[in-house]
């Protein structure tokens, strides 16, 4: 059995475990979805009306019956009906996911564009003042929550320049690319700055290890230009830990940067999940967590396969 096939076989098992955990966890939260949906008006319902609503949303049975019914629907592609939106869960998730996916991609691009050069710069000047400055920047970036960067950006733009980042109704990229990027640039920069610090530290450490390898010293002794030694020989072999970090971080970003989406009023997947938890929207929470878990596994599988492209010495699924 190949490595890829073995990984794909584990997907349903992981999804099953995630489904059980999220099903139980959301029901341990005090309250119920009918009361959360109607608020004080729930007290005006007669027992028959409340029972009818509970039956309509599938929460009138015991946990085992609810889980079995929901799991059978998931297998057929039906994640249930959202109490909050009155729509199929999958439809709601797919409406919110493009924003979160674009935000995650932009954040990773910003982190790589800024973090990789800074890490290489610090590694090639190990022990100097410039190296220390980069390391201090990375430490500050890693220790500062992303929402602090977001609030700082909003404050600087509003107090210093008298403007505010574009917030409000989300405009899809296909509809208006300029308006879309103007809405997502500062949220992506907020997430990207925090991620840049991690990329800088990892790439610096990896480059320091690679620069001490024999093949790098051999290339230098043969008179290869310093730029080529760094960027063509050393950097590709130092990218594996960076790619690993990007895969993990990208998976978390797909889960939704809840605070950043809240600050910039973005209707993304993370904000939707938070609202669903507050509204006790069981089906939406369960569907969103399953969707994020699936994407997380797919991203990590792609990262594992990318290792082979970056380093031919790596062989996945080789026999002992």
């Amino acid at each position: 059995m190949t490595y890829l096939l073995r990984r794909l076989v584990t997907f349903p098992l992981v999804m099953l475990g995630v489904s059980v955990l999220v099903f139980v966890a959301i029901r341990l939260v005090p309250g119920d979805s009918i009361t959360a949906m109607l608020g004080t008006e729930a007290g005006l319902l007669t027992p028959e009306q409340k029972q009818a609503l509970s039956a309509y949303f599938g929460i009138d049975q015991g946990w085992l019956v609810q889980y079995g019914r929901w799991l059978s629907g998931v297998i057929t592609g039906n994640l249930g009906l959202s109490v909050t939106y009155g729509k199929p869960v999958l439809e709601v998730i797919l409406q919110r996911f493009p924003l979160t996916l674009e935000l995650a991609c932009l954040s990773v691009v910003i982190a790589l564009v800024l973090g990789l050069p800074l890490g290489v710069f610090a590694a090639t000047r190990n022990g100097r003042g410039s190296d220390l400055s980069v390391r201090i920047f990375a430490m500050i970036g890693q220790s500062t929550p992303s929402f602090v960067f977001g609030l700082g950006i909003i404050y600087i733009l509003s107090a210093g320049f008298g403007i505010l980042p574009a917030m409000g109704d989300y405009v899809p990229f296909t509809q208006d690319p300029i308006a879309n990027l103007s809405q997502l640039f500062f949220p992506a920069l907020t997430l990207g700055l925090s991620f840049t610090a991690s990329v800088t530290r990892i790439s610096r450490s990896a480059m320091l290890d690679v620069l001490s390898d024999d093949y790098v010293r051999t290339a230098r002794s043969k008179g290869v230009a310093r730029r080529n030694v760094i960027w063509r020989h050393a950097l590709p072999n130092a990218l594996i830990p960076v790619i690993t970090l990007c895969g993990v971080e990208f998976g978390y970003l797909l889960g939704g940067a809840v605070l950043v989406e809240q600050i910039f009023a973005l209707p993304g997947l993370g904000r939707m999940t938070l609202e669903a938890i507050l509204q006790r929207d069981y089906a939406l929470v369960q569907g969103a967590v399953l969707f994020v878990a699936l994407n997380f596994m797919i991203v990590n599988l792609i990262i594992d396969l990318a290792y082979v492209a970056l380093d031919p010495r790596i062989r996945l699924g080789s026999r002992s």
Side-chain angles (χ1 to χ4, degrees):
M1 187 182 295
T2 64
Y3 175 81
L4 178 60
L5 185 57
R6 288 204 309 270
R7 287 291 298 271
L8 292 177
V9 168
T10 63
F11 275 27
L13 299 177
V14 175
M15 296 291 286
L16 181 63
V18 172
S19 69
V20 173
L21 289 175
V22 67
F23 183 89
V24 174
I26 185 61
R27 280 161 177 77
L28 292 177
V29 178
D32 63 86
S33 56
I34 303 300
T35 304
M37 177 179 62
L38 298 178
T40 56
E41 295 181 1
L44 303 177
L45 295 176
T46 64
E48 292 77 13
Q49 291 174 326
K50 191 169 184 179
Q51 178 65 27
L53 282 174
S54 299
Y56 178 76
F57 290 110
I59 57 175
D60 59 327
Q61 301 293 329
W63 284 13
L64 287 178
V65 176
Q66 290 184 46
Y67 179 75
R69 184 188 302 167
W70 173 67
L71 187 61
S72 62
V74 170
I75 295 174
T76 60
N78 179 17
L79 299 180
L81 185 68
S82 169
V83 175
T84 307
Y85 297 93
K87 298 178 181 179
V89 167
L90 187 58
E91 180 183 338
V92 178
I93 292 173
L94 292 180
Q95 287 177 349
R96 300 297 187 101
F97 183 62
L99 185 153
T100 301
L101 178 62
E102 185 182 357
L103 181 61
C105 291
L106 289 174
S107 303
V108 171
V109 169
I110 290 173
L112 291 177
V113 169
L114 297 177
L116 268 180
L118 283 174
V120 173
F121 175 80
T124 55
R125 289 159 178 79
N126 185 30
R128 302 181 186 177
S130 53
D131 174 36
L132 180 61
S133 300
V134 171
R135 289 162 61 188
I136 292 175
F137 161 77
M139 291 174 61
I140 294 175
Q142 278 196 305
S143 59
T144 304
S146 58
F147 70 88
V148 175
F149 287 123
L151 294 175
I153 289 173
I154 293 175
Y155 176 77
I156 292 172
L157 290 176
S158 60
F161 300 94
I163 60 175
L164 281 173
M167 295 186 290
D169 294 335
Y170 170 67
V171 180
F173 184 84
T174 54
Q175 179 178 333
D176 189 343
I178 302 300
N180 173 268
L181 292 176
S182 67
Q183 282 184 314
L184 293 187
F185 175 74
F186 291 109
L189 182 63
T190 299
L191 294 172
L193 286 176
S194 298
F195 190 21
T196 295
S198 300
V199 172
T200 300
R201 297 192 66 180
I202 293 295
S203 57
R204 176 186 175 275
S205 300
M207 280 294 293
L208 286 176
D209 291 337
V210 171
L211 289 175
S212 62
D213 287 346
D214 292 337
Y215 72 91
V216 174
R217 289 196 294 266
T218 301
R220 286 173 173 170
S221 65
K222 288 183 176 180
V224 179
R226 185 171 182 270
R227 177 181 298 179
N228 289 337
V229 170
I230 294 173
W231 296 102
R232 295 184 59 182
H233 294 274
L235 182 59
N237 291 287
L239 282 178
I240 288 181
V242 177
I243 295 298
T244 303
L245 176 66
C246 288
V248 174
E249 185 68 21
F250 189 74
Y252 284 123
L253 290 174
L254 288 180
V258 180
L259 292 176
V260 172
E261 289 179 357
Q262 284 282 82
I263 291 172
F264 290 94
L266 293 175
L269 198 60
R271 187 180 178 193
M272 178 207 73
T273 305
L274 176 62
E275 292 173 350
I277 294 173
L278 296 176
Q279 293 294 326
R280 310 299 190 274
D281 194 339
Y282 299 148
L284 187 54
V285 175
Q286 292 162 186
V289 173
L290 273 187
F291 186 80
V292 170
L294 178 61
N295 281 278
F296 197 97
M297 289 189 293
I298 292 174
V299 169
N300 279 275
L301 177 59
I302 294 173
I303 293 301
D304 288 345
L305 297 177
Y307 292 158
V308 179
L310 289 172
D311 192 343
R313 296 172 296 179
I314 297 177
R315 292 291 180 266
L316 299 177
S318 59
R319 295 182 180 178
S320 58

